[in-house]
Amino acid sequence: MHTTIEHVSGFILAGGKSSRMGENKALMKLGDITIIQKILSVLKTVFSEVSIITNEPKLFEDLNVPMFQDLVGKGPLSGIHSALTHSRTEKIFVCACDTPFLTNSLIYHIIENSIDSKIVVPYADGYLQHLVAIYSKSVLPEIESRLLSNNDIKEKACKMSSLFESVKGKTIYVEKEFPEYEPKLFWNINTREEYQRITNS
């Protein structure tokens, strides 16, 4: 039986423009609740502190959780930068706002494997899942350097994979190591087809 974690804070990244979807993915419904409500309910069973990173805080006022905006740059890396800056804990767990099948047991598994590592990222479905991962405040200087780099190299510098490689992040092979693994744990939503797949699962 797990207890609520206080040494890691939970953050939901809800700053994307959902351009391919045409509407805000976080506010799309799964049954009677929105996707972000579903994710938030899971994170609240794990963390004593859960916050949202968004540049449109009015959209999520009814969720009654702390919200912070990006401080610099754009994209997922700037969301992580804001989360680390505002976190009261050394480590944070971040997830995207369109990953509705995360489970508390998966999150606990990731946290339990994050000791002595600056970044911990699960590998699943053929990809490193950078937006279901652990990040430490010790990488803030590296992130800030990348976000403020010259425009001609900024695009590459702000790739999540580039940061992970630079700080020698730890990979968790959840398909082999996590007994409750199933592919949909990491499903996210970018298109109408993916939304239909998720709502029908």
Side-chain angles (χ1 to χ4, degrees):
M1 182 72 179
H2 290 285
T3 57
T4 304
I5 289 175
E6 296 186 359
H7 67 283
V8 180
S9 301
F11 285 86
I12 302 173
L13 303 182
K17 297 186 180 300
S18 305
S19 54
R20 280 189 282 173
M21 183 64 69
E23 63 180 286
N24 194 299
K25 296 181 289 185
L27 299 176
M28 297 176 77
K29 288 285 190 78
L30 282 180
D32 295 329
I33 63 173
T34 62
I35 292 173
I36 197 167
Q37 285 175 319
K38 190 173 189 302
I39 297 169
L40 185 60
S41 68
V42 173
L43 265 59
K44 282 185 172 182
T45 68
V46 179
F47 305 103
S48 60
E49 291 190 23
V50 181
S51 305
I52 297 173
I53 303 298
T54 176
N55 293 321
E56 299 179 284
K58 289 186 177 181
L59 293 178
F60 307 108
E61 284 179 335
D62 62 328
L63 298 179
N64 296 315
V65 296
M67 291 181 284
F68 304 101
Q69 299 190 42
D70 291 344
L71 300 173
V72 62
K74 61 181 181 178
L77 192 63
S78 59
I80 291 169
H81 170 262
S82 180
L84 286 169
T85 300
H86 289 105
S87 174
R88 290 192 283 185
T89 57
E90 170 64 25
K91 291 188 176 183
I92 63 170
F93 171 84
V94 301
C95 65
C97 66
D98 62 344
T99 51
F101 296 120
L102 293 179
T103 63
N104 51 12
S105 57
L106 172 64
I107 297 170
Y108 280 120
H109 179 78
I110 295 170
I111 292 170
E112 288 164 0
N113 284 274
S114 67
I115 298 173
D116 299 326
S117 298
K118 294 180 179 179
I119 298 178
V120 179
V121 179
Y123 181 90
D125 304 330
Y127 299 95
L128 282 167
Q129 306 289 338
H130 295 286
L131 298 186
V132 182
I134 297 284
Y135 293 85
S136 302
K137 279 184 178 287
S138 60
V139 301
L140 259 176
E142 175 81 11
I143 291 175
E144 289 174 351
S145 173
R146 289 167 178 271
L147 290 173
L148 298 172
S149 62
N150 295 329
N151 288 335
D152 57 338
I153 61 171
K154 184 173 181 179
E155 184 175 350
K156 180 179 179 181
C158 290
K159 287 184 179 296
M160 303 302 298
S161 56
S162 177
L163 172 68
F164 180 81
E165 292 167 5
S166 176
V167 303
K168 297 179 172 60
K170 178 180 179 179
T171 302
I172 303 175
Y173 295 94
V174 290
E175 294 173 345
K176 298 178 181 178
E177 301 170 9
F178 181 57
E180 299 171 41
Y181 171 78
E182 54 181 321
K184 76 175 187 178
L185 289 172
F186 296 93
W187 282 1
N188 62 357
I189 305 167
N190 292 303
T191 64
R192 289 284 170 185
E193 291 75 19
E194 290 172 348
Y195 177 61
Q196 289 300 319
R197 177 180 70 164
I198 282 176
T199 53
N200 293 331
S201 65

